[in-house]
Amino acid sequence: MIVFLSDSLGLPRSIPERLKINELYSNRLKKLINSETFCCAAGGATVDKIVRAITYFDPEEVSCFVLHYGIVDCAPRPTTRFEHIILQRAGISIPSKMDYLLRKVRNKTFTDQKKFLKMSKYLYDYTKGKCLIVPIANASYEYEKLLPGIKKNINIYNDILQKSFPDRVLPMEFSENDIMSDHHHLTSVGHKKIANNLMERLSYF
């Protein structure tokens, strides 16, 4: 049994471009390997939500966990997660110009580096090393202009993944063709690249 855990990157999409169910890397792999698979994904999932989800699985019944990290944890934000919840409940929205400035100056994240490291190490221990990690996709120059600090944050959080999951992080670089026009969701080409990369590594499990 191979279990896939991710945020919205593991789900089909209709916007900004279409991604069909059969184009997902989890479904591509299912056709290529002789193993049962199970996909658990949720939009906006942070690492702590992946931790909560993974505890429903007995590691002894799983040959490999594939964990796919997106930008939810590390994206520069104008507020902390707690502040974000308070503003939402109060019905207060931050004007776009102020939002941009606050992201650039405050660079708050939903998951700080210390917690991200702790949660990632927990995942490695819980899976007993039976895991493969799809790293956070590298940010383009255009994305950096829209979200100042995203490139640096992605590099920092990917370094944490390398430390937390020794020899388990897929050596991947994503090109312009691999990423949708929203700069972070993956195209069919990107999913195919992940499937091929995983196929090479799953033989070790």
Side-chain angles (χ1 to χ4, degrees):
M1 167 73 76
I2 297 172
V3 174
F4 301 90
L5 292 150
S6 76
D7 64 0
S8 61
L9 291 170
L11 295 170
R13 298 193 68 78
S14 57
I15 55 172
E17 286 83 47
R18 191 176 182 193
L19 179 69
K20 299 177 183 179
I21 293 174
N22 63 1
E23 294 174 321
L24 298 172
Y25 61 83
S26 55
N27 277 355
R28 289 177 186 271
L29 275 172
K30 188 175 183 178
K31 297 173 184 177
L32 296 171
I33 59 177
N34 184 28
S35 176
E36 291 184 76
T37 62
F38 188 93
C39 183
C40 181
T46 49
V47 65
D48 54 330
K49 290 182 180 178
I50 291 177
V51 165
R52 287 200 295 272
I54 206 169
T55 55
Y56 285 91
F57 298 93
D58 181 353
E60 297 300 328
E61 297 179 348
V62 179
S63 55
C64 182
F65 291 91
V66 175
L67 310 180
H68 190 177
Y69 286 79
I71 63 164
V72 184
D73 292 292
C74 71
R77 301 181 188 274
T79 61
T80 64
R81 194 187 328 197
F82 177 74
E83 292 168 342
H84 175 73
I85 292 170
I86 295 298
L87 290 174
Q88 267 193 332
R89 288 178 178 174
I92 299 172
S93 59
I94 301 173
S96 58
K97 288 185 178 180
M98 180 62 71
D99 182 274
Y100 178 86
L101 181 62
L102 287 173
R103 287 176 189 268
K104 190 173 184 178
V105 174
R106 297 192 78 196
N107 190 22
K108 294 296 181 180
T109 58
F110 277 180
T111 308
D112 62 45
Q113 295 173 34
K114 185 176 180 180
K115 182 178 180 180
F116 191 74
L117 174 63
K118 180 181 178 180
M119 294 289 97
S120 294
K121 285 185 173 180
Y122 173 86
L123 286 167
Y124 181 81
D125 291 339
Y126 185 84
T127 63
K128 301 179 180 180
K130 297 190 298 181
C131 57
L132 288 172
I133 311 302
V134 182
I136 307 166
N138 42 291
S140 65
Y141 174 72
E142 290 77 15
Y143 201 25
E144 178 67 25
K145 286 197 296 184
L146 292 171
L147 206 58
I150 185 63
K151 187 180 286 289
K152 180 180 178 181
N153 283 13
I154 287 174
N155 289 338
I156 290 171
Y157 281 63
N158 272 338
D159 284 344
I160 293 174
L161 292 178
Q162 292 284 356
K163 294 173 184 175
S164 305
F165 300 95
D167 303 317
R168 296 294 186 272
V169 181
L170 300 180
M172 301 199 68
E173 284 289 329
F174 295 95
S175 68
E176 186 177 330
N177 290 333
D178 301 327
I179 301 175
M180 292 185 179
S181 59
D182 64 5
H183 304 293
H184 61 96
H185 287 102
L186 299 171
T187 63
S188 176
V189 176
H191 276 261
K192 185 177 181 179
K193 179 180 285 188
I194 293 174
N196 291 339
N197 208 310
L198 284 169
M199 190 66 187
E200 294 176 10
R201 298 291 298 273
L202 284 171
S203 60
Y204 296 101
F205 294 90

